[in-house]
Amino acid sequence: DGGITQSPKYLFRKEGQNVTLSCEQNLNHDAMYWYRQDPGQGLRLIYYSQIVNDFQKGDIAEGYSVSREKKESFPLTVTSAQKNPTAFYLCASSPRTGWNEQYFGPGTRLTVT
Amino acid sequence: DQQVKQNSPSLSVQEGRISILNCDYTNSMFDYFLWYKKYPAEGPTFLISISSIKDKNEDGRFTVFLNKSAKHLSLHIVPSQPGDSAVYFCAASGGNYQLIWGAGTKLIIKP
């Protein structure tokens, strides 16, 4: 079955710790995206990647970092510099940048206390 | 500045009736619009889309209407079913990498 997997589904961390969220896809898609969702708000773009070894900041990249060493994988690190990290994080992919439909993973709920 | 607005946080509809979800946008450069459906603690799933060169697109029970002069689109679900209860997001694209998302409308289908 082709799709996007995110792990873990729930993650708890202490304030001041960096944490890495996993995102893997087997759809052979070139483009991958990370979004954040907060209650009552739409999805906000954190980072996106059009191709391996390339990524660009989205609207709210501060306090986050990413890597794209493999086509299938696009991990997101939430650093201690992110002021309000508790949120629902969604990874998505599309066949290529500019392809309008994006396909989403199940999400990771991160809680930082 | 919200470029895509869904002004109704929630909507309650009787099973079997029509559900109408609305979305307004401000950027006239948007040329493609999408609706996504999201269940709690899951990722959004693509539902239906429409290009700015059309004013209507249908897929089974789902129809999206686009009024470019009013910068308004709507999603019609007929007939509404219990499984349609979810949060519906409207998103817009200007042809680049980014989708701009509305805040979502929670649809509740009453039995």
Side-chain angles (χ1 to χ4, degrees):
Chain A
D1 276 335
I4 301 175
T5 57
Q6 291 185 245
S7 60
K9 193 160 181 66
Y10 300 96
L11 192 52
F12 297 89
R13 280 293 182 272
K14 294 288 187 188
E15 197 173 312
Q17 292 179 333
N18 291 355
V19 59
T20 298
L21 282 60
S22 166
C23 177
E24 305 276 332
Q25 55 101 356
N26 61 3
L27 300 166
N28 200 33
H29 285 175
D30 285 332
M32 296 186 74
Y33 310 81
W34 273 105
Y35 290 93
R36 169 183 172 135
Q37 188 195 7
D38 294 287
Q41 294 192 39
L43 280 63
R44 293 184 290 167
L45 184 66
I46 304 173
Y47 267 97
Y48 72 101
S49 169
Q50 300 179 65
I51 200 166
V52 174
N53 292 323
D54 179 72
F55 47 84
Q56 306 294 330
K57 293 181 179 179
D59 297 326
I60 56 165
E62 185 175 348
Y64 299 99
S65 66
V66 293
S67 62
R68 186 89 186 275
E69 296 175 4
K70 298 186 299 181
K71 187 175 186 176
E72 307 79 30
S73 178
F74 191 40
L76 173 74
T77 297
V78 185
T79 75
S80 56
Q82 168 47 233
K83 290 183 171 52
N84 189 15
T86 294
F88 189 54
Y89 289 89
L90 287 158
C91 180
S93 72
S94 64
R96 60 178 186 275
T97 309
W99 186 277
N100 288 300
E101 290 86 0
Q102 295 179 9
Y103 303 87
F104 285 82
T108 293
R109 168 74 61 186
L110 173 64
T111 302
V112 177
T113 57
Chain B
D1 177 31
Q2 277 188 294
Q3 297 187 69
V4 177
K5 295 181 185 178
Q6 294 177 257
N7 291 319
S8 299
S10 66
L11 176 68
S12 187
V13 174
Q14 202 75 33
E15 182 179 354
R17 306 294 284 267
I18 183 171
S19 295
I20 300 175
L21 296 99
N22 294 305
C23 179
D24 296 295
Y25 62 96
T26 57
N27 190 338
S28 57
M29 298 300 290
F30 290 148
D31 59 4
Y32 200 85
F33 303 88
L34 306 93
W35 284 94
Y36 280 79
K37 176 180 179 179
K38 183 182 181 300
Y39 293 117
E42 293 185 12
T45 54
F46 171 71
L47 198 56
I48 191 169
S49 61
I50 188 166
S51 164
S52 60
I53 62 172
K54 295 185 174 181
D55 54 19
K56 178 182 173 181
N57 189 28
E58 256 181 287
D59 184 1
R61 297 187 297 115
F62 302 92
T63 303
V64 57
F65 295 91
L66 175 63
N67 182 334
K68 281 176 291 189
S69 61
K71 293 191 178 69
H72 176 84
L73 63 155
S74 60
L75 174 68
H76 294 211
I77 306 174
V78 183
S80 299
Q81 298 175 353
D84 296 330
S85 293
V87 176
Y88 289 79
F89 288 97
C90 168
S93 169
N96 59 9
Y97 63 88
Q98 192 165 356
L99 292 181
I100 308 300
W101 296 78
T105 296
K106 183 176 184 178
L107 177 64
I108 300 162
I109 306 300
K110 299 180 292 186

mmCIF file of all heavy atoms in Angstrom, chain A residues 44-89:
data_model
loop_
_atom_site.group_PDB
_atom_site.id
_atom_site.type_symbol
_atom_site.label_atom_id
_atom_site.label_comp_id
_atom_site.label_asym_id
_atom_site.label_seq_id
_atom_site.Cartn_x
_atom_site.Cartn_y
_atom_site.Cartn_z
ATOM 1 N N ARG A 44 -0.517 25.644 8.514
ATOM 2 C CA ARG A 44 0.525 26.626 8.201
ATOM 3 C C ARG A 44 1.797 25.893 7.797
ATOM 4 O O ARG A 44 2.231 24.972 8.482
ATOM 5 C CB ARG A 44 0.767 27.552 9.397
ATOM 6 C CG ARG A 44 -0.419 28.464 9.705
ATOM 7 C CD ARG A 44 -0.101 29.425 10.822
ATOM 8 N NE ARG A 44 0.019 28.742 12.089
ATOM 9 C CZ ARG A 44 0.538 29.306 13.190
ATOM 10 N NH1 ARG A 44 1.013 30.548 13.133
ATOM 11 N NH2 ARG A 44 0.582 28.627 14.319
ATOM 12 N N LEU A 45 2.395 26.353 6.704
ATOM 13 C CA LEU A 45 3.550 25.675 6.124
ATOM 14 C C LEU A 45 4.815 26.010 6.892
ATOM 15 O O LEU A 45 5.159 27.183 7.072
ATOM 16 C CB LEU A 45 3.696 26.074 4.659
ATOM 17 C CG LEU A 45 4.796 25.391 3.868
ATOM 18 C CD1 LEU A 45 4.503 23.898 3.718
ATOM 19 C CD2 LEU A 45 4.940 26.038 2.499
ATOM 20 N N ILE A 46 5.541 24.962 7.303
ATOM 21 C CA ILE A 46 6.788 25.141 8.040
ATOM 22 C C ILE A 46 7.979 25.091 7.074
ATOM 23 O O ILE A 46 8.771 26.027 6.993
ATOM 24 C CB ILE A 46 6.951 24.059 9.122
ATOM 25 C CG1 ILE A 46 5.750 24.040 10.062
ATOM 26 C CG2 ILE A 46 8.243 24.278 9.907
ATOM 27 C CD1 ILE A 46 5.767 22.867 11.049
ATOM 28 N N TYR A 47 8.102 23.999 6.364
ATOM 29 C CA TYR A 47 9.173 23.799 5.379
ATOM 30 C C TYR A 47 8.609 22.971 4.234
ATOM 31 O O TYR A 47 7.656 22.214 4.412
ATOM 32 C CB TYR A 47 10.353 23.031 5.988
ATOM 33 C CG TYR A 47 11.454 23.865 6.569
ATOM 34 C CD1 TYR A 47 11.491 24.123 7.938
ATOM 35 C CD2 TYR A 47 12.483 24.374 5.777
ATOM 36 C CE1 TYR A 47 12.510 24.883 8.492
ATOM 37 C CE2 TYR A 47 13.504 25.138 6.323
ATOM 38 C CZ TYR A 47 13.510 25.393 7.691
ATOM 39 O OH TYR A 47 14.529 26.142 8.241
ATOM 40 N N TYR A 48 9.242 23.089 3.072
ATOM 41 C CA TYR A 48 8.922 22.198 1.977
ATOM 42 C C TYR A 48 10.202 21.850 1.228
ATOM 43 O O TYR A 48 11.198 22.578 1.300
ATOM 44 C CB TYR A 48 7.875 22.805 1.042
ATOM 45 C CG TYR A 48 8.369 23.944 0.187
ATOM 46 C CD1 TYR A 48 8.704 23.753 -1.147
ATOM 47 C CD2 TYR A 48 8.458 25.227 0.716
ATOM 48 C CE1 TYR A 48 9.146 24.808 -1.930
ATOM 49 C CE2 TYR A 48 8.901 26.279 -0.050
ATOM 50 C CZ TYR A 48 9.239 26.077 -1.370
ATOM 51 O OH TYR A 48 9.687 27.123 -2.128
ATOM 52 N N SER A 49 10.128 20.741 0.514
ATOM 53 C CA SER A 49 11.282 20.274 -0.251
ATOM 54 C C SER A 49 10.806 19.837 -1.629
ATOM 55 O O SER A 49 9.868 19.059 -1.746
ATOM 56 C CB SER A 49 11.948 19.095 0.474
ATOM 57 O OG SER A 49 12.889 18.466 -0.358
ATOM 58 N N GLN A 50 11.463 20.334 -2.646
ATOM 59 C CA GLN A 50 11.073 19.991 -4.018
ATOM 60 C C GLN A 50 11.831 18.778 -4.533
ATOM 61 O O GLN A 50 11.389 18.108 -5.475
ATOM 62 C CB GLN A 50 11.345 21.176 -4.943
ATOM 63 C CG GLN A 50 10.592 22.434 -4.554
ATOM 64 C CD GLN A 50 10.924 23.586 -5.478
ATOM 65 O OE1 GLN A 50 10.612 23.546 -6.656
ATOM 66 N NE2 GLN A 50 11.562 24.622 -4.937
ATOM 67 N N ILE A 51 13.010 18.548 -3.941
ATOM 68 C CA ILE A 51 13.858 17.493 -4.459
ATOM 69 C C ILE A 51 14.858 17.127 -3.373
ATOM 70 O O ILE A 51 15.067 17.900 -2.417
ATOM 71 C CB ILE A 51 14.570 17.977 -5.747
ATOM 72 C CG1 ILE A 51 15.067 16.812 -6.573
ATOM 73 C CG2 ILE A 51 15.661 18.970 -5.422
ATOM 74 C CD1 ILE A 51 15.470 17.211 -7.997
ATOM 75 N N VAL A 52 15.470 15.986 -3.510
ATOM 76 C CA VAL A 52 16.459 15.542 -2.523
ATOM 77 C C VAL A 52 17.562 16.590 -2.369
ATOM 78 O O VAL A 52 17.977 17.227 -3.339
ATOM 79 C CB VAL A 52 17.063 14.187 -2.964
ATOM 80 C CG1 VAL A 52 18.188 13.773 -2.044
ATOM 81 C CG2 VAL A 52 15.994 13.114 -2.983
ATOM 82 N N ASN A 53 17.974 16.770 -1.122
ATOM 83 C CA ASN A 53 19.052 17.699 -0.760
ATOM 84 C C ASN A 53 18.695 19.161 -0.978
ATOM 85 O O ASN A 53 19.591 20.018 -1.040
ATOM 86 C CB ASN A 53 20.363 17.364 -1.497
ATOM 87 C CG ASN A 53 20.957 16.056 -1.036
ATOM 88 O OD1 ASN A 53 20.894 15.724 0.152
ATOM 89 N ND2 ASN A 53 21.516 15.292 -1.963
ATOM 90 N N ASP A 54 17.407 19.444 -1.095
ATOM 91 C CA ASP A 54 16.965 20.830 -1.240
ATOM 92 C C ASP A 54 15.714 21.042 -0.403
ATOM 93 O O ASP A 54 14.823 20.198 -0.401
ATOM 94 C CB ASP A 54 16.648 21.154 -2.699
ATOM 95 C CG ASP A 54 16.155 22.585 -2.859
ATOM 96 O OD1 ASP A 54 16.970 23.520 -2.728
ATOM 97 O OD2 ASP A 54 14.946 22.763 -3.077
ATOM 98 N N PHE A 55 15.641 22.156 0.317
ATOM 99 C CA PHE A 55 14.428 22.478 1.058
ATOM 100 C C PHE A 55 14.350 23.991 1.242
ATOM 101 O O PHE A 55 15.375 24.692 1.185
ATOM 102 C CB PHE A 55 14.356 21.756 2.409
ATOM 103 C CG PHE A 55 15.621 21.829 3.230
ATOM 104 C CD1 PHE A 55 15.892 22.921 4.034
ATOM 105 C CD2 PHE A 55 16.525 20.778 3.203
ATOM 106 C CE1 PHE A 55 17.044 22.991 4.796
ATOM 107 C CE2 PHE A 55 17.689 20.822 3.969
ATOM 108 C CZ PHE A 55 17.947 21.933 4.754
ATOM 109 N N GLN A 56 13.136 24.474 1.440
ATOM 110 C CA GLN A 56 12.881 25.898 1.548
ATOM 111 C C GLN A 56 12.013 26.189 2.760
ATOM 112 O O GLN A 56 11.165 25.372 3.139
ATOM 113 C CB GLN A 56 12.154 26.415 0.292
ATOM 114 C CG GLN A 56 12.844 26.095 -1.014
ATOM 115 C CD GLN A 56 14.173 26.788 -1.164
ATOM 116 O OE1 GLN A 56 14.372 27.879 -0.628
ATOM 117 N NE2 GLN A 56 15.098 26.163 -1.875
ATOM 118 N N LYS A 57 12.198 27.352 3.341
ATOM 119 C CA LYS A 57 11.371 27.762 4.469
ATOM 120 C C LYS A 57 9.971 28.119 4.008
ATOM 121 O O LYS A 57 9.783 28.717 2.952
ATOM 122 C CB LYS A 57 12.000 28.984 5.165
ATOM 123 C CG LYS A 57 13.317 28.692 5.853
ATOM 124 C CD LYS A 57 13.855 29.950 6.546
ATOM 125 C CE LYS A 57 15.164 29.638 7.243
ATOM 126 N NZ LYS A 57 15.716 30.844 7.914
ATOM 127 N N GLY A 58 9.018 27.758 4.865
ATOM 128 C CA GLY A 58 7.655 28.197 4.665
ATOM 129 C C GLY A 58 7.376 29.440 5.493
ATOM 130 O O GLY A 58 8.287 30.208 5.818
ATOM 131 N N ASP A 59 6.120 29.601 5.879
ATOM 132 C CA ASP A 59 5.726 30.819 6.583
ATOM 133 C C ASP A 59 6.180 30.874 8.038
ATOM 134 O O ASP A 59 6.331 31.948 8.609
ATOM 135 C CB ASP A 59 4.196 30.955 6.548
ATOM 136 C CG ASP A 59 3.677 31.099 5.138
ATOM 137 O OD1 ASP A 59 4.381 31.716 4.319
ATOM 138 O OD2 ASP A 59 2.587 30.578 4.843
ATOM 139 N N ILE A 60 6.382 29.706 8.653
ATOM 140 C CA ILE A 60 6.660 29.684 10.095
ATOM 141 C C ILE A 60 7.845 28.790 10.402
ATOM 142 O O ILE A 60 7.800 27.949 11.282
ATOM 143 C CB ILE A 60 5.413 29.246 10.895
ATOM 144 C CG1 ILE A 60 4.896 27.876 10.410
ATOM 145 C CG2 ILE A 60 4.304 30.279 10.798
ATOM 146 C CD1 ILE A 60 3.917 27.243 11.380
ATOM 147 N N ALA A 61 8.972 28.980 9.719
ATOM 148 C CA ALA A 61 10.124 28.079 9.838
ATOM 149 C C ALA A 61 10.950 28.307 11.110
ATOM 150 O O ALA A 61 11.748 27.434 11.483
ATOM 151 C CB ALA A 61 11.007 28.236 8.621
ATOM 152 N N GLU A 62 10.780 29.423 11.762
ATOM 153 C CA GLU A 62 11.636 29.725 12.914
ATOM 154 C C GLU A 62 11.470 28.683 14.016
ATOM 155 O O GLU A 62 10.358 28.382 14.450
ATOM 156 C CB GLU A 62 11.304 31.113 13.465
ATOM 157 C CG GLU A 62 12.240 31.549 14.588
ATOM 158 C CD GLU A 62 11.988 32.970 15.055
ATOM 159 O OE1 GLU A 62 11.246 33.706 14.379
ATOM 160 O OE2 GLU A 62 12.519 33.341 16.107
ATOM 161 N N GLY A 63 12.615 28.146 14.480
ATOM 162 C CA GLY A 63 12.578 27.147 15.545
ATOM 163 C C GLY A 63 12.468 25.721 15.037
ATOM 164 O O GLY A 63 12.380 24.788 15.836
ATOM 165 N N TYR A 64 12.464 25.546 13.724
ATOM 166 C CA TYR A 64 12.377 24.224 13.111
ATOM 167 C C TYR A 64 13.553 24.010 12.169
ATOM 168 O O TYR A 64 14.118 24.964 11.651
ATOM 169 C CB TYR A 64 11.087 24.084 12.298
ATOM 170 C CG TYR A 64 9.809 24.231 13.088
ATOM 171 C CD1 TYR A 64 9.117 25.439 13.101
ATOM 172 C CD2 TYR A 64 9.274 23.158 13.797
ATOM 173 C CE1 TYR A 64 7.942 25.584 13.820
ATOM 174 C CE2 TYR A 64 8.097 23.289 14.505
ATOM 175 C CZ TYR A 64 7.437 24.511 14.514
ATOM 176 O OH TYR A 64 6.266 24.649 15.220
ATOM 177 N N SER A 65 13.898 22.741 11.945
ATOM 178 C CA SER A 65 14.873 22.410 10.915
ATOM 179 C C SER A 65 14.460 21.109 10.247
ATOM 180 O O SER A 65 13.723 20.308 10.828
ATOM 181 C CB SER A 65 16.284 22.286 11.501
ATOM 182 O OG SER A 65 16.368 21.183 12.383
ATOM 183 N N VAL A 66 14.913 20.920 9.009
ATOM 184 C CA VAL A 66 14.579 19.719 8.245
ATOM 185 C C VAL A 66 15.814 19.228 7.505
ATOM 186 O O VAL A 66 16.822 19.916 7.404
ATOM 187 C CB VAL A 66 13.448 19.976 7.225
ATOM 188 C CG1 VAL A 66 12.128 20.281 7.911
ATOM 189 C CG2 VAL A 66 13.838 21.076 6.255
ATOM 190 N N SER A 67 15.701 18.011 6.968
ATOM 191 C CA SER A 67 16.703 17.477 6.062
ATOM 192 C C SER A 67 15.979 16.649 5.011
ATOM 193 O O SER A 67 14.857 16.175 5.236
ATOM 194 C CB SER A 67 17.733 16.628 6.806
ATOM 195 O OG SER A 67 17.105 15.504 7.406
ATOM 196 N N ARG A 68 16.607 16.485 3.864
ATOM 197 C CA ARG A 68 16.022 15.647 2.803
ATOM 198 C C ARG A 68 17.169 14.900 2.128
ATOM 199 O O ARG A 68 17.583 15.190 1.014
ATOM 200 C CB ARG A 68 15.278 16.517 1.777
ATOM 201 C CG ARG A 68 14.521 15.689 0.744
ATOM 202 C CD ARG A 68 13.144 15.341 1.150
ATOM 203 N NE ARG A 68 12.473 14.446 0.249
ATOM 204 C CZ ARG A 68 11.802 14.827 -0.849
ATOM 205 N NH1 ARG A 68 11.774 16.092 -1.224
ATOM 206 N NH2 ARG A 68 11.195 13.922 -1.583
ATOM 207 N N GLU A 69 17.676 13.903 2.822
ATOM 208 C CA GLU A 69 18.806 13.125 2.315
ATOM 209 C C GLU A 69 18.347 12.006 1.391
ATOM 210 O O GLU A 69 19.121 11.508 0.569
ATOM 211 C CB GLU A 69 19.617 12.573 3.486
ATOM 212 C CG GLU A 69 20.263 13.666 4.336
ATOM 213 C CD GLU A 69 20.972 13.101 5.557
ATOM 214 O OE1 GLU A 69 21.027 11.866 5.703
ATOM 215 O OE2 GLU A 69 21.477 13.910 6.363
ATOM 216 N N LYS A 70 17.103 11.595 1.542
ATOM 217 C CA LYS A 70 16.522 10.555 0.698
ATOM 218 C C LYS A 70 15.183 11.038 0.175
ATOM 219 O O LYS A 70 14.478 11.781 0.848
ATOM 220 C CB LYS A 70 16.322 9.260 1.485
ATOM 221 C CG LYS A 70 17.576 8.630 2.015
ATOM 222 C CD LYS A 70 17.274 7.267 2.647
ATOM 223 C CE LYS A 70 16.323 7.370 3.810
ATOM 224 N NZ LYS A 70 16.056 6.055 4.445
ATOM 225 N N LYS A 71 14.800 10.569 -0.996
ATOM 226 C CA LYS A 71 13.524 10.983 -1.584
ATOM 227 C C LYS A 71 12.358 10.608 -0.685
ATOM 228 O O LYS A 71 11.364 11.332 -0.597
ATOM 229 C CB LYS A 71 13.364 10.323 -2.954
ATOM 230 C CG LYS A 71 12.169 10.805 -3.748
ATOM 231 C CD LYS A 71 12.184 10.182 -5.140
ATOM 232 C CE LYS A 71 11.087 10.760 -5.994
ATOM 233 N NZ LYS A 71 11.143 10.232 -7.373
ATOM 234 N N GLU A 72 12.488 9.470 0.002
ATOM 235 C CA GLU A 72 11.366 8.940 0.765
ATOM 236 C C GLU A 72 11.181 9.602 2.115
ATOM 237 O O GLU A 72 10.152 9.446 2.753
ATOM 238 C CB GLU A 72 11.557 7.443 1.020
ATOM 239 C CG GLU A 72 11.816 6.603 -0.214
ATOM 240 C CD GLU A 72 13.241 6.678 -0.716
ATOM 241 O OE1 GLU A 72 14.163 6.884 0.103
ATOM 242 O OE2 GLU A 72 13.443 6.567 -1.941
ATOM 243 N N SER A 73 12.192 10.326 2.598
ATOM 244 C CA SER A 73 12.187 10.739 3.998
ATOM 245 C C SER A 73 12.380 12.243 4.148
ATOM 246 O O SER A 73 13.250 12.839 3.479
ATOM 247 C CB SER A 73 13.321 9.986 4.716
ATOM 248 O OG SER A 73 13.394 10.372 6.060
ATOM 249 N N PHE A 74 11.620 12.838 5.058
ATOM 250 C CA PHE A 74 11.686 14.289 5.268
ATOM 251 C C PHE A 74 11.450 14.568 6.763
ATOM 252 O O PHE A 74 10.392 15.041 7.161
ATOM 253 C CB PHE A 74 10.636 14.979 4.405
ATOM 254 C CG PHE A 74 10.761 16.480 4.316
ATOM 255 C CD1 PHE A 74 11.987 17.102 4.213
ATOM 256 C CD2 PHE A 74 9.614 17.279 4.301
ATOM 257 C CE1 PHE A 74 12.091 18.486 4.108
ATOM 258 C CE2 PHE A 74 9.698 18.666 4.192
ATOM 259 C CZ PHE A 74 10.940 19.270 4.095
ATOM 260 N N PRO A 75 12.432 14.278 7.612
ATOM 261 C CA PRO A 75 12.227 14.472 9.051
ATOM 262 C C PRO A 75 12.238 15.947 9.448
ATOM 263 O O PRO A 75 12.952 16.757 8.851
ATOM 264 C CB PRO A 75 13.419 13.723 9.670
ATOM 265 C CG PRO A 75 14.455 13.713 8.594
ATOM 266 C CD PRO A 75 13.729 13.674 7.291
ATOM 267 N N LEU A 76 11.462 16.253 10.452
ATOM 268 C CA LEU A 76 11.352 17.614 10.994
ATOM 269 C C LEU A 76 11.865 17.625 12.422
ATOM 270 O O LEU A 76 11.422 16.812 13.241
ATOM 271 C CB LEU A 76 9.893 18.070 10.989
ATOM 272 C CG LEU A 76 9.588 19.411 11.676
ATOM 273 C CD1 LEU A 76 10.063 20.574 10.812
ATOM 274 C CD2 LEU A 76 8.086 19.541 11.957
ATOM 275 N N THR A 77 12.796 18.530 12.731
ATOM 276 C CA THR A 77 13.266 18.696 14.097
ATOM 277 C C THR A 77 12.680 19.965 14.681
ATOM 278 O O THR A 77 12.797 21.045 14.087
ATOM 279 C CB THR A 77 14.805 18.750 14.164
ATOM 280 O OG1 THR A 77 15.332 17.499 13.710
ATOM 281 C CG2 THR A 77 15.285 18.993 15.591
ATOM 282 N N VAL A 78 12.016 19.801 15.818
ATOM 283 C CA VAL A 78 11.485 20.936 16.562
ATOM 284 C C VAL A 78 12.541 21.277 17.601
ATOM 285 O O VAL A 78 12.817 20.475 18.505
ATOM 286 C CB VAL A 78 10.142 20.575 17.226
ATOM 287 C CG1 VAL A 78 9.545 21.800 17.901
ATOM 288 C CG2 VAL A 78 9.174 20.005 16.203
ATOM 289 N N THR A 79 13.150 22.423 17.472
ATOM 290 C CA THR A 79 14.252 22.767 18.367
ATOM 291 C C THR A 79 13.732 23.499 19.596
ATOM 292 O O THR A 79 12.578 23.952 19.653
ATOM 293 C CB THR A 79 15.293 23.631 17.655
ATOM 294 O OG1 THR A 79 14.777 24.963 17.516
ATOM 295 C CG2 THR A 79 15.632 23.075 16.284
ATOM 296 N N SER A 80 14.618 23.657 20.556
ATOM 297 C CA SER A 80 14.247 24.357 21.786
ATOM 298 C C SER A 80 13.989 25.843 21.523
ATOM 299 O O SER A 80 13.437 26.542 22.374
ATOM 300 C CB SER A 80 15.349 24.183 22.833
ATOM 301 O OG SER A 80 16.586 24.637 22.323
ATOM 302 N N ALA A 81 14.360 26.317 20.342
ATOM 303 C CA ALA A 81 14.131 27.727 19.997
ATOM 304 C C ALA A 81 12.688 27.993 19.575
ATOM 305 O O ALA A 81 12.263 29.158 19.513
ATOM 306 C CB ALA A 81 15.065 28.142 18.866
ATOM 307 N N GLN A 82 11.928 26.947 19.316
ATOM 308 C CA GLN A 82 10.526 27.119 18.926
ATOM 309 C C GLN A 82 9.745 27.481 20.185
ATOM 310 O O GLN A 82 9.642 26.692 21.126
ATOM 311 C CB GLN A 82 10.000 25.840 18.288
ATOM 312 C CG GLN A 82 8.488 25.765 18.081
ATOM 313 C CD GLN A 82 7.847 26.981 17.453
ATOM 314 O OE1 GLN A 82 6.896 27.550 17.979
ATOM 315 N NE2 GLN A 82 8.372 27.384 16.317
ATOM 316 N N LYS A 83 9.148 28.657 20.167
ATOM 317 C CA LYS A 83 8.546 29.212 21.388
ATOM 318 C C LYS A 83 7.266 28.489 21.813
ATOM 319 O O LYS A 83 6.942 28.438 22.995
ATOM 320 C CB LYS A 83 8.239 30.691 21.180
ATOM 321 C CG LYS A 83 9.477 31.573 21.105
ATOM 322 C CD LYS A 83 9.111 33.038 20.977
ATOM 323 C CE LYS A 83 10.302 33.958 21.125
ATOM 324 N NZ LYS A 83 11.425 33.631 20.273
ATOM 325 N N ASN A 84 6.544 27.955 20.895
ATOM 326 C CA ASN A 84 5.260 27.336 21.215
ATOM 327 C C ASN A 84 5.126 26.029 20.423
ATOM 328 O O ASN A 84 4.354 25.960 19.461
ATOM 329 C CB ASN A 84 4.129 28.307 20.879
ATOM 330 C CG ASN A 84 2.790 27.815 21.386
ATOM 331 O OD1 ASN A 84 2.729 26.918 22.214
ATOM 332 N ND2 ASN A 84 1.731 28.391 20.869
ATOM 333 N N PRO A 85 5.860 25.002 20.795
ATOM 334 C CA PRO A 85 5.956 23.809 19.957
ATOM 335 C C PRO A 85 4.780 22.844 20.052
ATOM 336 O O PRO A 85 4.628 21.984 19.179
ATOM 337 C CB PRO A 85 7.231 23.135 20.467
ATOM 338 C CG PRO A 85 7.321 23.566 21.893
ATOM 339 C CD PRO A 85 6.781 24.957 21.946
ATOM 340 N N THR A 86 3.972 22.973 21.068
ATOM 341 C CA THR A 86 2.852 22.036 21.219
ATOM 342 C C THR A 86 1.849 22.266 20.099
ATOM 343 O O THR A 86 1.299 23.366 19.966
ATOM 344 C CB THR A 86 2.175 22.222 22.586
ATOM 345 O OG1 THR A 86 3.091 21.846 23.611
ATOM 346 C CG2 THR A 86 0.918 21.369 22.685
ATOM 347 N N ALA A 87 1.632 21.242 19.275
ATOM 348 C CA ALA A 87 0.752 21.376 18.110
ATOM 349 C C ALA A 87 0.604 20.016 17.455
ATOM 350 O O ALA A 87 1.234 19.028 17.847
ATOM 351 C CB ALA A 87 1.314 22.378 17.104
ATOM 352 N N PHE A 88 -0.239 19.966 16.428
ATOM 353 C CA PHE A 88 -0.423 18.790 15.587
ATOM 354 C C PHE A 88 0.378 19.030 14.316
ATOM 355 O O PHE A 88 0.174 20.032 13.629
ATOM 356 C CB PHE A 88 -1.923 18.615 15.291
ATOM 357 C CG PHE A 88 -2.283 17.337 14.611
ATOM 358 C CD1 PHE A 88 -1.895 16.114 15.135
ATOM 359 C CD2 PHE A 88 -3.039 17.348 13.457
ATOM 360 C CE1 PHE A 88 -2.255 14.918 14.523
ATOM 361 C CE2 PHE A 88 -3.405 16.158 12.832
ATOM 362 C CZ PHE A 88 -3.004 14.941 13.369
ATOM 363 N N TYR A 89 1.315 18.120 14.016
ATOM 364 C CA TYR A 89 2.210 18.301 12.881
ATOM 365 C C TYR A 89 1.833 17.326 11.779
ATOM 366 O O TYR A 89 1.698 16.119 12.007
ATOM 367 C CB TYR A 89 3.667 18.085 13.304
ATOM 368 C CG TYR A 89 4.167 19.205 14.186
ATOM 369 C CD1 TYR A 89 4.002 19.142 15.569
ATOM 370 C CD2 TYR A 89 4.777 20.330 13.640
ATOM 371 C CE1 TYR A 89 4.449 20.177 16.382
ATOM 372 C CE2 TYR A 89 5.225 21.372 14.444
ATOM 373 C CZ TYR A 89 5.046 21.286 15.809
ATOM 374 O OH TYR A 89 5.481 22.314 16.617
#
